[in-house]
Amino acid sequence: MCGIVGYIGKREAWPILIKGLERLEYRGYDSAGVAIMNSGAISVYKKLGKVSELSKFVKNKSDKNISGLVGIAHTRWATHGEPSDKNAHPHLSMSGDIAVVHNGIIENYLSLKKVLIEKGFKFKSDTDTEVISNLIEDIKKSAKVSFDEAVRLALLEVVGAYAIVVLSKDDPNTIVVAKKGSPVVIGIGKEEFFIASDATPIIEYTDKVIYLDDNEMAIIKNGKLLVKTIENEVKNPYIQKLEMKIEELEKGGFPHFMLKEIYEQPRSIKDSMRGRISAKDGMIKLGGIECHQDKLINAKRIIILACGTSWHAGLEAKYFFEEIAKTPTIVEYASEFRYRNPVIYPDDLVIVISQSGETADTLAALKLAKEKGATVFGVCNVVGSSIPRATDAGVYTHAGPEIGVASTKAFTAQLTVLFLMCIFLADKKEVLSKKEIKKLLIELENIPEKVEKALLCNDSVKKIAEKLKNMKNFIYLGRGYGFPLALEGALKIKEISYIHADGYPAGEMKHGPIALVDENMPVVFIANHSALYEKVVSNMMEVKARKGVVVAIITKGDTNIKKIADYCIEIPETTDVMMPFVASVPLQLLAYHVARLRGCDIDKPRNLAKSVTVE
Ligand code: G6P
């Protein structure tokens, strides 16, 4: 987590840095800070809270000096040291000569700190990061080496994960960037360079970027860029062209990114299948896995690894792969998998799912799977991020940038890509006829339109949210494809409205959750027409018999459930297997409206971050 930004060039750095921080706030918003190089000094401004707090604080400051053409900035998700002004980045070295912003964790910071304290260094914060600035200062002075060489030598002593951007008072026209484990991108403009944790702060200035690899550093000095490894081997960096559009990063008239992203789903689902299917021929083309497709086709078992919402998409995929492609599939939390000693057979295929492509646990689980000899496919949204770069093959979801911390459009885009993988596999394994494949693909092509229709439930969901906004708990129940959705619905409301919620398979209700049901317990049922419809209706009756408040997501035209449930939300009819695409919409909207009515910070819920780059 944490977002870092840097600028060096011919423009005023401050506005570029602040705007960049705003774009990266999804990575954490415990505190924000900026260091600007001006007239041979480094001025640091930092503040507890969001970037807007920092801007307010600086605006009201009479003695500010924020003019300068070089600067670095940071928005924090606290790991070492509570959120506070003193723990906010940038962190200066003891003399104030070196300034550092850092995303990651320095694991050996205590031993490094002890040595530095013995040498007379004094520390002002509780962070691991302050060790880096003091270590660079110590090496620069004692070894009498240049600024960039001091950074390099310091990094040889550091254990852990980092993306850092460093300034030195004595080298006002230099910025040093380095990466290991945490992401960093450098945008190349005309005699100017932009540094950031991802490309979103960069895209409005340039579409030419370099993604540093682990153990690489970039020295940007007097308008020139040099990339080398921290072992001092000079590299020839690959300059990539960004495909992202700036409009994708704006709210486009919506009050929150989350709502905008919910409404973008017809488009993002379409984009995630675009160019990959020909429904009339029953054909699927997944270019990203072509070179390793035999691994998928011959897999005796699929192992899916992910966290959070991506894990829920993985659980839906288990149902896809087993029911349609007849391939046994297990789904594991990456955070558990990485610390077990999992058994992986040569004919297993591992699929990792991640919106950000940066989740630390997912990345570590991927690496473990590879060490054990597995072929790993990725399903990621952020192009060029760490996970897709570490996999053997993969298929990108084309959801576009997702800014709201609670994942919405990335989830349905993941379902789309996983569904395509599943049909591709079923076709190659010949477990479905061409006719059946065509039928499924034709329905998949109808899904964006059905999601569009599902969005029409917004007003009725708003009214239901009004009634339920003060509830203290929610239960979400579903069977079959509805079960992972029940988990996802519960996660959404927990994340953004801070109401405790549990998702359960409806059949498990009598083994525990039913004890909680009374007139103050809303129970949300995923109750569309499906093979398990009657069973779900029976569970609903059991809840009603105990005075629970039933909210039912039903297939349009279902008059039966309307007689039982307190509130109904209608979604268009589709096949069982494609129901999750459509039924996700009311679940997302319910969480959104409840959170809005409770006055919660929807796009930046407390304690959460979008990209969890620490374990
Ligand atoms: C965080 C986010 C979730 C996301 C999860 C996994 O918890 O808040 O929305 O589902 O990380 O992230 P990933 O980027 O790997 O999908």
Side-chain angles (χ1 to χ4, degrees), residues 2 30-32 46-48 74 76-91 113 124-130:
C2 300
D30 287 332
S31 62
K46 44 194 200 174
K47 203 75 208 132
L48 173 70
H74 188 270
R76 180 167 186 245
W77 189 85
T79 58
H80 291 59
E82 59 167 16
S84 63
D85 289 356
K86 78 167 182 189
N87 288 333
H89 298 218
H91 287 287
K113 191 169 178 176
K124 296 183 199 89
S125 76
D126 312 315
T127 65
D128 50 340
T129 306
E130 202 181 355

PDB file of all heavy atoms in Angstrom, residues 2 30-32 46-48 74 76-91 113 124-130:
ATOM      1  N   CYS A   2       0.336   2.383   0.303  1.00  0.00           N
ATOM      2  CA  CYS A   2       1.002   3.679   0.216  1.00  0.00           C
ATOM      3  C   CYS A   2       1.199   4.051  -1.256  1.00  0.00           C
ATOM      4  O   CYS A   2       1.449   3.205  -2.100  1.00  0.00           O
ATOM      5  CB  CYS A   2       2.368   3.716   0.890  1.00  0.00           C
ATOM      6  SG  CYS A   2       2.319   3.355   2.630  1.00  0.00           S
ATOM      7  N   ASP A  30      -3.920   7.550   5.324  1.00  0.00           N
ATOM      8  CA  ASP A  30      -3.725   7.838   6.747  1.00  0.00           C
ATOM      9  C   ASP A  30      -3.021   9.173   6.955  1.00  0.00           C
ATOM     10  O   ASP A  30      -3.219   9.841   7.962  1.00  0.00           O
ATOM     11  CB  ASP A  30      -2.896   6.731   7.400  1.00  0.00           C
ATOM     12  CG  ASP A  30      -3.702   5.455   7.556  1.00  0.00           C
ATOM     13  OD1 ASP A  30      -4.936   5.560   7.670  1.00  0.00           O
ATOM     14  OD2 ASP A  30      -3.112   4.366   7.575  1.00  0.00           O
ATOM     15  N   SER A  31      -2.137   9.524   6.029  1.00  0.00           N
ATOM     16  CA  SER A  31      -1.465  10.828   6.091  1.00  0.00           C
ATOM     17  C   SER A  31      -0.913  11.131   4.708  1.00  0.00           C
ATOM     18  O   SER A  31      -0.844  10.241   3.858  1.00  0.00           O
ATOM     19  CB  SER A  31      -0.324  10.808   7.117  1.00  0.00           C
ATOM     20  OG  SER A  31       0.653   9.860   6.734  1.00  0.00           O
ATOM     21  N   ALA A  32      -0.545  12.396   4.512  1.00  0.00           N
ATOM     22  CA  ALA A  32       0.016  12.778   3.214  1.00  0.00           C
ATOM     23  C   ALA A  32       1.159  13.760   3.445  1.00  0.00           C
ATOM     24  O   ALA A  32       1.166  14.483   4.448  1.00  0.00           O
ATOM     25  CB  ALA A  32      -1.055  13.422   2.349  1.00  0.00           C
ATOM     26  N   LYS A  46       3.819  17.924   5.885  1.00  0.00           N
ATOM     27  CA  LYS A  46       3.094  16.666   6.021  1.00  0.00           C
ATOM     28  C   LYS A  46       2.003  16.768   7.070  1.00  0.00           C
ATOM     29  O   LYS A  46       2.101  17.577   7.999  1.00  0.00           O
ATOM     30  CB  LYS A  46       4.047  15.506   6.307  1.00  0.00           C
ATOM     31  CG  LYS A  46       5.132  15.756   7.328  1.00  0.00           C
ATOM     32  CD  LYS A  46       6.162  14.630   7.193  1.00  0.00           C
ATOM     33  CE  LYS A  46       7.001  14.492   8.430  1.00  0.00           C
ATOM     34  NZ  LYS A  46       7.888  13.343   8.352  1.00  0.00           N
ATOM     35  N   LYS A  47       0.982  15.944   6.885  1.00  0.00           N
ATOM     36  CA  LYS A  47      -0.192  16.089   7.742  1.00  0.00           C
ATOM     37  C   LYS A  47      -0.926  14.760   7.881  1.00  0.00           C
ATOM     38  O   LYS A  47      -1.049  13.997   6.918  1.00  0.00           O
ATOM     39  CB  LYS A  47      -1.135  17.103   7.064  1.00  0.00           C
ATOM     40  CG  LYS A  47      -2.101  17.794   7.967  1.00  0.00           C
ATOM     41  CD  LYS A  47      -1.453  18.867   8.819  1.00  0.00           C
ATOM     42  CE  LYS A  47      -2.162  19.097  10.121  1.00  0.00           C
ATOM     43  NZ  LYS A  47      -1.306  19.140  11.293  1.00  0.00           N
ATOM     44  N   LEU A  48      -1.410  14.532   9.068  1.00  0.00           N
ATOM     45  CA  LEU A  48      -2.284  13.383   9.319  1.00  0.00           C
ATOM     46  C   LEU A  48      -3.560  13.538   8.490  1.00  0.00           C
ATOM     47  O   LEU A  48      -4.077  14.642   8.365  1.00  0.00           O
ATOM     48  CB  LEU A  48      -2.647  13.376  10.807  1.00  0.00           C
ATOM     49  CG  LEU A  48      -3.693  12.371  11.280  1.00  0.00           C
ATOM     50  CD1 LEU A  48      -3.136  10.959  11.212  1.00  0.00           C
ATOM     51  CD2 LEU A  48      -4.143  12.684  12.696  1.00  0.00           C
ATOM     52  N   HIS A  74       3.879  11.561  -0.848  1.00  0.00           N
ATOM     53  CA  HIS A  74       3.487  10.257  -0.315  1.00  0.00           C
ATOM     54  C   HIS A  74       2.107  10.302   0.290  1.00  0.00           C
ATOM     55  O   HIS A  74       1.736  11.268   0.953  1.00  0.00           O
ATOM     56  CB  HIS A  74       4.500   9.888   0.789  1.00  0.00           C
ATOM     57  CG  HIS A  74       4.368   8.497   1.321  1.00  0.00           C
ATOM     58  ND1 HIS A  74       3.576   8.181   2.380  1.00  0.00           N
ATOM     59  CD2 HIS A  74       4.960   7.342   0.925  1.00  0.00           C
ATOM     60  CE1 HIS A  74       3.691   6.874   2.639  1.00  0.00           C
ATOM     61  NE2 HIS A  74       4.517   6.335   1.763  1.00  0.00           N
ATOM     62  N   ARG A  76      -0.157   7.698   2.791  1.00  0.00           N
ATOM     63  CA  ARG A  76       0.281   6.556   3.618  1.00  0.00           C
ATOM     64  C   ARG A  76      -0.850   5.614   4.025  1.00  0.00           C
ATOM     65  O   ARG A  76      -1.970   6.066   4.290  1.00  0.00           O
ATOM     66  CB  ARG A  76       0.942   7.123   4.886  1.00  0.00           C
ATOM     67  CG  ARG A  76       1.445   6.077   5.861  1.00  0.00           C
ATOM     68  CD  ARG A  76       2.348   6.704   6.920  1.00  0.00           C
ATOM     69  NE  ARG A  76       2.938   5.689   7.748  1.00  0.00           N
ATOM     70  CZ  ARG A  76       2.709   5.526   9.052  1.00  0.00           C
ATOM     71  NH1 ARG A  76       1.908   6.363   9.689  1.00  0.00           N
ATOM     72  NH2 ARG A  76       3.282   4.558   9.721  1.00  0.00           N
ATOM     73  N   TRP A  77      -0.552   4.351   4.073  1.00  0.00           N
ATOM     74  CA  TRP A  77      -1.374   3.347   4.764  1.00  0.00           C
ATOM     75  C   TRP A  77      -0.450   2.798   5.840  1.00  0.00           C
ATOM     76  O   TRP A  77       0.543   2.116   5.538  1.00  0.00           O
ATOM     77  CB  TRP A  77      -1.824   2.251   3.788  1.00  0.00           C
ATOM     78  CG  TRP A  77      -2.829   1.329   4.385  1.00  0.00           C
ATOM     79  CD1 TRP A  77      -4.177   1.517   4.435  1.00  0.00           C
ATOM     80  CD2 TRP A  77      -2.583   0.071   5.030  1.00  0.00           C
ATOM     81  NE1 TRP A  77      -4.780   0.453   5.067  1.00  0.00           N
ATOM     82  CE2 TRP A  77      -3.827  -0.445   5.442  1.00  0.00           C
ATOM     83  CE3 TRP A  77      -1.431  -0.672   5.293  1.00  0.00           C
ATOM     84  CZ2 TRP A  77      -3.957  -1.672   6.095  1.00  0.00           C
ATOM     85  CZ3 TRP A  77      -1.554  -1.883   5.952  1.00  0.00           C
ATOM     86  CH2 TRP A  77      -2.821  -2.371   6.345  1.00  0.00           C
ATOM     87  N   ALA A  78      -0.753   3.121   7.084  1.00  0.00           N
ATOM     88  CA  ALA A  78       0.213   2.906   8.173  1.00  0.00           C
ATOM     89  C   ALA A  78       0.537   1.432   8.403  1.00  0.00           C
ATOM     90  O   ALA A  78      -0.357   0.598   8.464  1.00  0.00           O
ATOM     91  CB  ALA A  78      -0.350   3.504   9.454  1.00  0.00           C
ATOM     92  N   THR A  79       1.820   1.133   8.515  1.00  0.00           N
ATOM     93  CA  THR A  79       2.238  -0.197   8.992  1.00  0.00           C
ATOM     94  C   THR A  79       3.054  -0.004  10.271  1.00  0.00           C
ATOM     95  O   THR A  79       2.648  -0.430  11.338  1.00  0.00           O
ATOM     96  CB  THR A  79       3.082  -0.969   7.955  1.00  0.00           C
ATOM     97  OG1 THR A  79       4.228  -0.217   7.622  1.00  0.00           O
ATOM     98  CG2 THR A  79       2.264  -1.310   6.727  1.00  0.00           C
ATOM     99  N   HIS A  80       4.191   0.665  10.189  1.00  0.00           N
ATOM    100  CA  HIS A  80       5.051   0.863  11.355  1.00  0.00           C
ATOM    101  C   HIS A  80       4.852   2.272  11.897  1.00  0.00           C
ATOM    102  O   HIS A  80       5.306   3.241  11.296  1.00  0.00           O
ATOM    103  CB  HIS A  80       6.526   0.670  10.970  1.00  0.00           C
ATOM    104  CG  HIS A  80       6.858  -0.757  10.643  1.00  0.00           C
ATOM    105  ND1 HIS A  80       6.220  -1.438   9.633  1.00  0.00           N
ATOM    106  CD2 HIS A  80       7.720  -1.622  11.206  1.00  0.00           C
ATOM    107  CE1 HIS A  80       6.691  -2.667   9.578  1.00  0.00           C
ATOM    108  NE2 HIS A  80       7.607  -2.809  10.521  1.00  0.00           N
ATOM    109  N   GLY A  81       4.169   2.346  13.020  1.00  0.00           N
ATOM    110  CA  GLY A  81       3.911   3.663  13.601  1.00  0.00           C
ATOM    111  C   GLY A  81       2.509   4.109  13.259  1.00  0.00           C
ATOM    112  O   GLY A  81       2.071   4.002  12.101  1.00  0.00           O
ATOM    113  N   GLU A  82       1.783   4.610  14.279  1.00  0.00           N
ATOM    114  CA  GLU A  82       0.386   5.015  14.067  1.00  0.00           C
ATOM    115  C   GLU A  82       0.298   6.174  13.083  1.00  0.00           C
ATOM    116  O   GLU A  82       1.272   6.910  12.906  1.00  0.00           O
ATOM    117  CB  GLU A  82      -0.221   5.432  15.411  1.00  0.00           C
ATOM    118  CG  GLU A  82       0.543   6.572  16.037  1.00  0.00           C
ATOM    119  CD  GLU A  82      -0.191   7.228  17.192  1.00  0.00           C
ATOM    120  OE1 GLU A  82      -1.139   6.643  17.701  1.00  0.00           O
ATOM    121  OE2 GLU A  82       0.200   8.344  17.559  1.00  0.00           O
ATOM    122  N   PRO A  83      -0.885   6.345  12.475  1.00  0.00           N
ATOM    123  CA  PRO A  83      -1.056   7.510  11.605  1.00  0.00           C
ATOM    124  C   PRO A  83      -0.903   8.805  12.411  1.00  0.00           C
ATOM    125  O   PRO A  83      -1.590   8.986  13.416  1.00  0.00           O
ATOM    126  CB  PRO A  83      -2.501   7.362  11.093  1.00  0.00           C
ATOM    127  CG  PRO A  83      -2.860   5.930  11.306  1.00  0.00           C
ATOM    128  CD  PRO A  83      -2.086   5.491  12.509  1.00  0.00           C
ATOM    129  N   SER A  84       0.026   9.651  12.035  1.00  0.00           N
ATOM    130  CA  SER A  84       0.258  10.912  12.764  1.00  0.00           C
ATOM    131  C   SER A  84       1.103  11.819  11.874  1.00  0.00           C
ATOM    132  O   SER A  84       1.650  11.358  10.862  1.00  0.00           O
ATOM    133  CB  SER A  84       1.022  10.641  14.069  1.00  0.00           C
ATOM    134  OG  SER A  84       2.295  10.117  13.753  1.00  0.00           O
ATOM    135  N   ASP A  85       1.219  13.069  12.265  1.00  0.00           N
ATOM    136  CA  ASP A  85       2.055  13.994  11.495  1.00  0.00           C
ATOM    137  C   ASP A  85       3.499  13.506  11.461  1.00  0.00           C
ATOM    138  O   ASP A  85       4.150  13.496  10.425  1.00  0.00           O
ATOM    139  CB  ASP A  85       2.033  15.394  12.132  1.00  0.00           C
ATOM    140  CG  ASP A  85       0.690  16.088  11.936  1.00  0.00           C
ATOM    141  OD1 ASP A  85      -0.173  15.513  11.245  1.00  0.00           O
ATOM    142  OD2 ASP A  85       0.511  17.180  12.502  1.00  0.00           O
ATOM    143  N   LYS A  86       3.989  13.083  12.635  1.00  0.00           N
ATOM    144  CA  LYS A  86       5.423  12.738  12.686  1.00  0.00           C
ATOM    145  C   LYS A  86       5.739  11.463  11.890  1.00  0.00           C
ATOM    146  O   LYS A  86       6.837  11.312  11.365  1.00  0.00           O
ATOM    147  CB  LYS A  86       5.924  12.639  14.135  1.00  0.00           C
ATOM    148  CG  LYS A  86       5.559  11.358  14.839  1.00  0.00           C
ATOM    149  CD  LYS A  86       6.336  11.170  16.121  1.00  0.00           C
ATOM    150  CE  LYS A  86       5.896   9.814  16.681  1.00  0.00           C
ATOM    151  NZ  LYS A  86       6.276   9.426  17.935  1.00  0.00           N
ATOM    152  N   ASN A  87       4.773  10.568  11.797  1.00  0.00           N
ATOM    153  CA  ASN A  87       5.030   9.332  11.040  1.00  0.00           C
ATOM    154  C   ASN A  87       4.722   9.470   9.555  1.00  0.00           C
ATOM    155  O   ASN A  87       4.966   8.554   8.774  1.00  0.00           O
ATOM    156  CB  ASN A  87       4.234   8.168  11.632  1.00  0.00           C
ATOM    157  CG  ASN A  87       4.809   7.719  12.969  1.00  0.00           C
ATOM    158  OD1 ASN A  87       6.006   7.896  13.224  1.00  0.00           O
ATOM    159  ND2 ASN A  87       3.975   7.168  13.837  1.00  0.00           N
ATOM    160  N   ALA A  88       4.180  10.625   9.161  1.00  0.00           N
ATOM    161  CA  ALA A  88       3.886  10.851   7.737  1.00  0.00           C
ATOM    162  C   ALA A  88       5.196  10.967   6.963  1.00  0.00           C
ATOM    163  O   ALA A  88       6.207  11.434   7.490  1.00  0.00           O
ATOM    164  CB  ALA A  88       3.060  12.122   7.586  1.00  0.00           C
ATOM    165  N   HIS A  89       5.176  10.534   5.701  1.00  0.00           N
ATOM    166  CA  HIS A  89       6.341  10.704   4.825  1.00  0.00           C
ATOM    167  C   HIS A  89       6.221  12.070   4.155  1.00  0.00           C
ATOM    168  O   HIS A  89       5.125  12.593   4.080  1.00  0.00           O
ATOM    169  CB  HIS A  89       6.355   9.638   3.730  1.00  0.00           C
ATOM    170  CG  HIS A  89       6.459   8.230   4.243  1.00  0.00           C
ATOM    171  ND1 HIS A  89       7.192   7.258   3.621  1.00  0.00           N
ATOM    172  CD2 HIS A  89       5.900   7.615   5.318  1.00  0.00           C
ATOM    173  CE1 HIS A  89       7.070   6.100   4.281  1.00  0.00           C
ATOM    174  NE2 HIS A  89       6.280   6.293   5.314  1.00  0.00           N
ATOM    175  N   PRO A  90       7.248  12.626   3.578  1.00  0.00           N
ATOM    176  CA  PRO A  90       8.620  12.165   3.454  1.00  0.00           C
ATOM    177  C   PRO A  90       9.344  12.179   4.800  1.00  0.00           C
ATOM    178  O   PRO A  90       9.018  12.984   5.680  1.00  0.00           O
ATOM    179  CB  PRO A  90       9.251  13.194   2.510  1.00  0.00           C
ATOM    180  CG  PRO A  90       8.108  13.858   1.825  1.00  0.00           C
ATOM    181  CD  PRO A  90       6.975  13.820   2.769  1.00  0.00           C
ATOM    182  N   HIS A  91      10.343  11.296   4.906  1.00  0.00           N
ATOM    183  CA  HIS A  91      11.182  11.274   6.094  1.00  0.00           C
ATOM    184  C   HIS A  91      12.567  11.826   5.759  1.00  0.00           C
ATOM    185  O   HIS A  91      13.222  11.355   4.840  1.00  0.00           O
ATOM    186  CB  HIS A  91      11.278   9.854   6.652  1.00  0.00           C
ATOM    187  CG  HIS A  91       9.994   9.459   7.310  1.00  0.00           C
ATOM    188  ND1 HIS A  91       9.601   9.976   8.532  1.00  0.00           N
ATOM    189  CD2 HIS A  91       8.986   8.665   6.906  1.00  0.00           C
ATOM    190  CE1 HIS A  91       8.411   9.495   8.847  1.00  0.00           C
ATOM    191  NE2 HIS A  91       8.011   8.704   7.882  1.00  0.00           N
ATOM    192  N   LYS A 113      18.545   0.466  12.644  1.00  0.00           N
ATOM    193  CA  LYS A 113      18.305   1.642  13.494  1.00  0.00           C
ATOM    194  C   LYS A 113      19.262   1.622  14.688  1.00  0.00           C
ATOM    195  O   LYS A 113      19.830   2.659  15.065  1.00  0.00           O
ATOM    196  CB  LYS A 113      16.845   1.613  13.962  1.00  0.00           C
ATOM    197  CG  LYS A 113      16.365   2.874  14.622  1.00  0.00           C
ATOM    198  CD  LYS A 113      14.836   2.820  14.780  1.00  0.00           C
ATOM    199  CE  LYS A 113      14.324   4.049  15.494  1.00  0.00           C
ATOM    200  NZ  LYS A 113      12.878   4.095  15.589  1.00  0.00           N
ATOM    201  N   LYS A 124      13.109  10.688  14.598  1.00  0.00           N
ATOM    202  CA  LYS A 124      11.945  11.494  15.002  1.00  0.00           C
ATOM    203  C   LYS A 124      10.636  10.719  14.897  1.00  0.00           C
ATOM    204  O   LYS A 124       9.629  11.111  15.458  1.00  0.00           O
ATOM    205  CB  LYS A 124      11.849  12.736  14.120  1.00  0.00           C
ATOM    206  CG  LYS A 124      13.029  13.679  14.266  1.00  0.00           C
ATOM    207  CD  LYS A 124      12.798  14.923  13.402  1.00  0.00           C
ATOM    208  CE  LYS A 124      14.081  15.646  13.132  1.00  0.00           C
ATOM    209  NZ  LYS A 124      14.802  15.200  11.934  1.00  0.00           N
ATOM    210  N   SER A 125      10.631   9.637  14.099  1.00  0.00           N
ATOM    211  CA  SER A 125       9.356   8.928  13.870  1.00  0.00           C
ATOM    212  C   SER A 125       9.464   7.483  14.351  1.00  0.00           C
ATOM    213  O   SER A 125      10.535   7.032  14.749  1.00  0.00           O
ATOM    214  CB  SER A 125       9.026   8.918  12.377  1.00  0.00           C
ATOM    215  OG  SER A 125       9.830   7.960  11.710  1.00  0.00           O
ATOM    216  N   ASP A 126       8.342   6.773  14.280  1.00  0.00           N
ATOM    217  CA  ASP A 126       8.351   5.344  14.644  1.00  0.00           C
ATOM    218  C   ASP A 126       8.422   4.473  13.397  1.00  0.00           C
ATOM    219  O   ASP A 126       8.185   3.277  13.454  1.00  0.00           O
ATOM    220  CB  ASP A 126       7.042   4.984  15.373  1.00  0.00           C
ATOM    221  CG  ASP A 126       6.708   5.979  16.456  1.00  0.00           C
ATOM    222  OD1 ASP A 126       7.620   6.325  17.209  1.00  0.00           O
ATOM    223  OD2 ASP A 126       5.536   6.425  16.528  1.00  0.00           O
ATOM    224  N   THR A 127       8.706   5.070  12.254  1.00  0.00           N
ATOM    225  CA  THR A 127       8.604   4.308  11.005  1.00  0.00           C
ATOM    226  C   THR A 127       9.888   3.541  10.689  1.00  0.00           C
ATOM    227  O   THR A 127      10.970   3.858  11.184  1.00  0.00           O
ATOM    228  CB  THR A 127       8.349   5.261   9.818  1.00  0.00           C
ATOM    229  OG1 THR A 127       9.503   6.100   9.676  1.00  0.00           O
ATOM    230  CG2 THR A 127       7.127   6.114  10.040  1.00  0.00           C
ATOM    231  N   ASP A 128       9.720   2.553   9.819  1.00  0.00           N
ATOM    232  CA  ASP A 128      10.887   1.851   9.280  1.00  0.00           C
ATOM    233  C   ASP A 128      11.602   2.722   8.236  1.00  0.00           C
ATOM    234  O   ASP A 128      12.804   2.632   8.037  1.00  0.00           O
ATOM    235  CB  ASP A 128      10.449   0.511   8.661  1.00  0.00           C
ATOM    236  CG  ASP A 128       9.273   0.652   7.704  1.00  0.00           C
ATOM    237  OD1 ASP A 128       8.550   1.668   7.786  1.00  0.00           O
ATOM    238  OD2 ASP A 128       9.072  -0.248   6.874  1.00  0.00           O
ATOM    239  N   THR A 129      10.840   3.613   7.605  1.00  0.00           N
ATOM    240  CA  THR A 129      11.369   4.403   6.487  1.00  0.00           C
ATOM    241  C   THR A 129      12.491   5.357   6.905  1.00  0.00           C
ATOM    242  O   THR A 129      13.449   5.583   6.157  1.00  0.00           O
ATOM    243  CB  THR A 129      10.209   5.215   5.858  1.00  0.00           C
ATOM    244  OG1 THR A 129       9.179   4.299   5.535  1.00  0.00           O
ATOM    245  CG2 THR A 129      10.663   5.982   4.641  1.00  0.00           C
ATOM    246  N   GLU A 130      12.386   5.914   8.099  1.00  0.00           N
ATOM    247  CA  GLU A 130      13.384   6.902   8.523  1.00  0.00           C
ATOM    248  C   GLU A 130      14.786   6.289   8.549  1.00  0.00           C
ATOM    249  O   GLU A 130      15.795   7.002   8.401  1.00  0.00           O
ATOM    250  CB  GLU A 130      13.000   7.452   9.908  1.00  0.00           C
ATOM    251  CG  GLU A 130      13.626   8.797  10.192  1.00  0.00           C
ATOM    252  CD  GLU A 130      13.259   9.337  11.575  1.00  0.00           C
ATOM    253  OE1 GLU A 130      12.437   8.712  12.277  1.00  0.00           O
ATOM    254  OE2 GLU A 130      13.824  10.383  11.944  1.00  0.00           O
TER     255      GLU A 130
END
